[in-house]
Amino acid sequence: MRSVSSFPPIVGPLLGVANVVVMAVAVVGLTVVPSSGEPVPSPQAALAAPPTEKPPQDPSAPAGTPSQAPSPSSTAGQPPGVAATPEFARQVKANEAGLVPVLMYHRIIAKRHASIDRTPKQLRQELETLAKRGYVPITAAEFATGDIRVPAGRFPVVLTFDDGHESHFRLDASGNPVPDTAAGVILDVARRYPSFRPTATFWVNREPFGLRDEAAQAAAVRWLVGHGFEVANHTWSHPNLGVLSKKKVQKQIGKVQRMLEKLGAGTPRTLALPFGVAPHPRELARTGKWDGTRYDFTGVFLAGAEPSRSPYAKNFPRGAIQRIQSNGKKGECRKWCSQYWLEWLDKHPGERYVSDGDPGRISIPSRLRGNIGAKWNDRVNAY
């Protein structure tokens, strides 16, 4: 049996082709875009099958687990810590060396103009599928740093939205997210599936969410950060960093870093590479400085086209983290997009990251002990 530290067999030989395909699709798409002290839960509760009732009962919650309404904190929907023992980890089939889907979205619009667009209905259906299958969202920064707080027996998923499009976030006259925006859909799904944590990462350019007024930009960014979302760096003007000078690369990244700090996002810890293309040298995507503003990212993300390795893996590519384009199984997406990969992970559960519910331990089957990076050795809980 192959270890999860290696790519699934279908991936390896075609990985380079897949990334080229994703890049090409992204370019075409952009050309048509207008602008602990808590009680420890029993293994039986963690392993219980999800009920089938409709909301208000959360159909994805393990039997006997109380539902929690989302809270507007940075840890909204996150479970209390548990103390995972090897026996507990075995019973919940924990595998924190497994693969994690990092899903990539672009515009969320009623009528798709490019293959990378998704409609609000399509987004809602995919999020409901994730909720029913036991996935719990975390941010890109939490994933990259290994701060994964997901209930025992469940699976982390990272929802990411590129370009800071107006379809991702807008507030209505009452100060609530517009229902058919990405944030609105996420919050609605979380209300109906309370175990589905309402969070995502929005990677923005120079006009976050299509807003030009600085006060409006600050209001949007602070609302999102205040409600547990991440707003981070996607460069100033979305260029191909691979053809820019070192100075221009650092300016593209540094300007957004400075803007987001000023708007109240804190210091962004993650970067999504435009078109998935890294600069030369690649290290400039992770660390650099422009006009007195420094950046030092915990994670740099690509544009596709497979699940990511665990952040605890010794070969975790912190400067080139894989993502999966959200889409059905058509055309080039027959093998490289979200429907294909979510089905693949269902069919290969031994390859998927399964949480032990204990953020202080890294629970894995003993055979995978050698896959974990040395910096995490004191946290390994092998069974």
Side-chain angles (χ1 to χ4, degrees), residues 169-190:
F169 181 76
R170 296 195 309 279
L171 292 175
D172 61 20
S174 300
N176 298 311
V178 173
D180 278 351
T181 59
V185 173
I186 291 169
L187 290 166
D188 183 58
V189 171

Side-chain angles (χ1 to χ4, degrees), residues 17-350:
V17 175
N19 279 301
V20 170
V21 167
V22 171
M23 264 188 58
V25 170
V27 172
V28 172
L30 285 169
T31 63
V32 299
V33 175
S35 86
S36 177
E38 298 288 344
V40 178
S42 68
Q44 290 73 24
L47 287 166
T52 57
E53 292 82 6
K54 299 286 186 180
Q57 170 74 30
D58 176 7
S60 71
T65 300
S67 295
Q68 287 185 326
S71 75
S73 70
S74 61
T75 57
Q78 295 196 40
V82 302
T85 63
E87 179 58 28
F88 182 88
R90 178 181 293 108
Q91 292 192 54
V92 299
K93 299 180 180 180
N95 178 12
E96 297 184 327
L99 300 171
V100 177
V102 182
L103 303 186
M104 175 180 68
Y105 301 90
H106 289 83
R107 296 185 304 178
I108 307 300
I109 52 180
K111 184 177 181 179
R112 299 171 67 191
H113 299 295
S115 63
I116 58 176
D117 294 336
R118 302 297 271 164
T119 67
K121 181 179 179 180
Q122 288 172 327
L123 174 61
R124 185 182 306 277
Q125 289 174 337
E126 184 158 78
L127 298 188
E128 289 180 345
T129 295
L130 290 168
K132 292 173 183 177
R133 292 182 182 179
Y135 285 93
V136 179
I138 61 175
T139 68
E142 289 166 345
F143 174 64
T145 58
D147 184 18
I148 301 179
R149 300 172 185 268
V150 169
R154 291 180 175 271
F155 330 119
V157 62
V158 187
L159 310 176
T160 68
F161 296 81
D162 289 15
D163 308 332
H165 192 261
E166 63 181 352
S167 64
H168 297 165
F169 181 76
R170 296 195 309 279
L171 292 175
D172 61 20
S174 300
N176 298 311
V178 173
D180 278 351
T181 59
V185 173
I186 291 169
L187 290 166
D188 183 58
V189 171
R191 279 190 288 268
R192 292 182 293 114
Y193 298 84
S195 63
F196 192 77
R197 180 186 173 210
T199 194
T201 294
F202 294 99
W203 279 307
V204 303
N205 306 121
R206 60 186 173 192
E207 294 180 356
F209 314 110
L211 301 169
R212 296 185 177 182
D213 178 72
E214 185 175 315
Q217 292 174 347
V221 167
R222 293 179 183 184
W223 192 100
L224 285 166
V225 172
H227 286 76
F229 293 85
E230 177 187 8
V231 183
N233 200 317
H234 197 37
T235 74
W236 186 254
S237 60
H238 203 283
N240 178 347
L241 297 180
V243 301
L244 298 186
S245 67
K246 295 179 182 179
K247 182 177 180 180
K248 288 183 178 179
V249 168
Q250 292 174 95
K251 182 176 182 180
Q252 280 285 332
I253 299 172
K255 288 186 73 173
V256 175
Q257 204 77 350
R258 180 180 294 181
M259 176 188 73
L260 289 177
E261 289 174 350
K262 184 177 181 181
L263 293 177
T267 299
R269 303 303 307 278
T270 62
L271 169 75
L273 295 168
F275 313 112
V277 180
H280 303 289
R282 176 178 287 275
E283 290 72 22
L284 280 181
R286 283 200 61 189
T287 61
K289 179 181 178 181
W290 168 77
D291 193 31
T293 296
R294 293 184 176 275
Y295 59 89
D296 185 7
F297 298 117
T298 59
V300 177
F301 291 74
L302 303 177
E306 62 180 29
S308 172
R309 296 182 178 96
S310 165
Y312 310 128
K314 62 183 177 184
N315 54 359
F316 178 60
R318 193 170 304 281
I321 301 171
Q322 288 283 355
R323 291 193 289 164
I324 306 167
Q325 180 192 143
S326 173
N327 225 316
K329 294 196 299 184
K330 293 182 180 180
E332 297 295 349
C333 279
R334 290 193 305 273
K335 293 183 179 179
W336 305 116
C337 298
S338 59
Q339 183 181 346
Y340 169 83
W341 278 115
L342 292 175
E343 290 176 359
W344 190 94
L345 289 168
D346 281 345
K347 294 175 183 176
H348 301 81

